[in-house]
Amino acid sequence: MRVLLTGSAGFIGSHIAEALAAAGHEVRELDTRGGEDAGDVRDADTVARRLRGVDAVCHQAAMVGLGVDVFDLPAYADVNVRGTAVLLAEMARSGVRRLVLASSMVVYGEGAYSCDAHGPVSPGPRSERDLRAGSYEPPCPVCGNPLTPGVVQEETALDPRNVYADTKVAQEHLAASWARMTGASVTALRYHNVYGPRMPLDTPYAGVAALFRSRLERGEPPLVFEDGQQRRDFVHVRDVAHANVLALEALEALDRGRSRLRAYNIASGTPRSIAEMAHALAEVYGGPEPQVTGGYRLGDVRHIVASPERARSELGYTARVPFTTGMAEFAGATVSVSR
């Protein structure tokens, strides 16, 4: 299969390029950092040229991270939303009807919770007043009592809480509309906390694992926000790359005319607390031990844990890199300056 891979020079995209090539597929790359082959997904003429003769598109190009402040809004909308719209329009013109879209767990917002009195509920954004007071767990929106966090499924309602999440939801909605209008097939892979070699470091948009590693390399302790008990699912980048290969091959096997978007959680299936991850990374480095600061970022969520069961049953995806092995590798991995 001939695949156009956007964002091919990035952290995740570069691993996908290798995984596709290893699986026997031909990769056509598109990235603003692609040297002589550089191209921008927002440039319709460039996209049209790269689409000629391809069988499918794997769309990874994006501006990532929570965002620094409100002045990031135009850049996120331009790269993530307009860039995706341009790509989809040119795919329609070129007759390319298979798309794997890089989505994210951030589309779920605060995740799944239940109240003893009111059952499943969707808590609102945590207030700065509560966070400042050290009250980190979201309360029941009905009675204010403590909630029990659960596991999000793909059918969980989308509830974005920051500008990056907003644009990821917009990408999914645009792709779903494109599929309905063209009779195409879309697979949206909702990545959880991806880490591994080539992860960008020392940028305000870096992931928490990268920020911790940067401090440890300087001999400084990782600074853990809140009380460190917020939970995430850390999934290795090679597992994410493998999921993309599986998704593209599954689309190739589908009959045309599905005309819908199918989403999958791409996670390890074994959640960890942020403090647990920080300690695991510090142990590899031999210290210093993480410091729990009580700090916070508005727009962060408390717990987001998902089931990868649909990806396992429908795509054949299972995370293969153990957490301890992945963290040890990440500690000694090559530093990247790209996102």
Side-chain angles (χ1 to χ4, degrees):
M1 180 166 42
R2 186 178 292 116
V3 179
L4 174 63
L5 173 61
T6 74
S8 55
F11 164 46
I12 297 174
S14 63
H15 286 275
I16 294 173
E18 292 174 354
L20 284 169
H25 302 293
E26 180 183 335
V27 181
R28 185 174 294 175
E29 300 187 2
L30 176 64
D31 197 290
T32 56
R33 297 152 294 172
E36 293 182 359
D37 295 326
D40 195 316
V41 74
R42 294 167 291 183
D43 186 318
D45 290 340
T46 299
V47 172
R49 287 194 300 271
R50 298 294 174 87
L51 281 168
R52 290 171 189 158
V54 306
D55 302 302
V57 173
C58 183
H59 183 33
Q60 306 293 315
M63 185 174 178
V64 300
L66 179 65
V68 175
D69 54 40
V70 70
F71 302 109
D72 283 330
L73 283 166
Y76 274 98
D78 188 38
V79 175
N80 296 359
V81 181
R82 189 169 73 87
T84 299
V86 169
L87 174 66
L88 293 172
E90 294 309 316
M91 289 178 69
R93 289 190 180 95
S94 302
V96 181
R97 297 290 184 264
R98 302 171 189 153
L99 172 66
V100 172
L101 172 68
S103 189
S104 171
M105 54 93 173
V106 297
V107 300
Y108 297 118
E110 190 58 66
Y113 288 84
S114 62
C115 172
D116 288 343
H118 299 98
V121 294
S122 298
R126 297 178 296 168
S127 71
E128 186 165 13
R129 178 180 179 180
D130 285 346
L131 293 170
R132 193 165 52 241
S135 180
Y136 304 121
E137 297 291 342
C140 174
V142 180
C143 64
N145 287 333
L147 297 173
T148 301
V151 176
V152 295
Q153 310 289 340
E154 286 83 356
E155 294 82 4
T156 299
L158 305 187
D159 188 16
R161 299 291 176 89
N162 56 63
V163 60
Y164 175 60
D166 292 335
T167 63
K168 281 296 168 182
V169 171
Q171 285 183 323
E172 287 198 18
H173 286 170
L174 286 169
S177 295
W178 167 80
R180 288 191 297 271
M181 289 187 286
T182 62
S185 299
V186 183
T187 295
L189 302 181
R190 293 173 179 167
Y191 304 155
H192 284 252
N193 286 64
V194 187
Y195 74 98
R198 303 174 212 153
M199 190 176 190
L201 307 180
D202 292 322
T203 90
Y205 303 94
V208 65
L211 296 175
F212 289 169
R213 178 186 147 174
S214 294
R215 290 189 61 85
L216 286 163
E217 287 184 338
R218 297 193 298 266
E220 300 169 352
L223 301 180
V224 179
F225 279 6
E226 303 183 17
D227 59 0
Q229 297 310 302
Q230 57 271 46
R231 294 192 305 152
R232 301 290 188 271
D233 188 308
F234 296 94
V235 58
H236 195 276
V237 67
R238 286 198 299 274
D239 287 328
V240 170
H242 181 57
N244 276 269
V245 175
L246 293 172
L248 283 162
E249 292 175 345
L251 280 179
E252 187 178 33
L254 282 173
D255 291 332
R256 289 181 179 270
R258 185 176 68 165
S259 304
R260 65 189 176 106
L261 180 146
R262 185 74 166 163
Y264 297 90
N265 291 316
I266 304 301
S268 73
T270 306
R272 313 268 177 176
S273 71
I274 296 294
E276 185 178 0
M277 186 273 286
H279 281 286
L281 203 51
E283 184 176 356
V284 174
Y285 275 91
E289 284 296 300
Q291 292 181 1
V292 177
T293 68
Y296 58 87
R297 295 190 306 177
L298 287 177
D300 269 344
V301 297
R302 180 61 173 171
H303 305 293
I304 179 69
V305 176
S307 168
E309 175 57 27
R310 177 187 287 180
R312 185 201 64 77
S313 62
E314 296 185 13
L315 301 180
Y317 163 82
T318 302
R320 300 180 292 188
V321 180
F323 178 75
T324 53
T325 302
M327 281 294 161
E329 179 193 26
F330 175 59
T334 301
V335 174
S336 169
V337 295
S338 62
R339 67 176 185 270

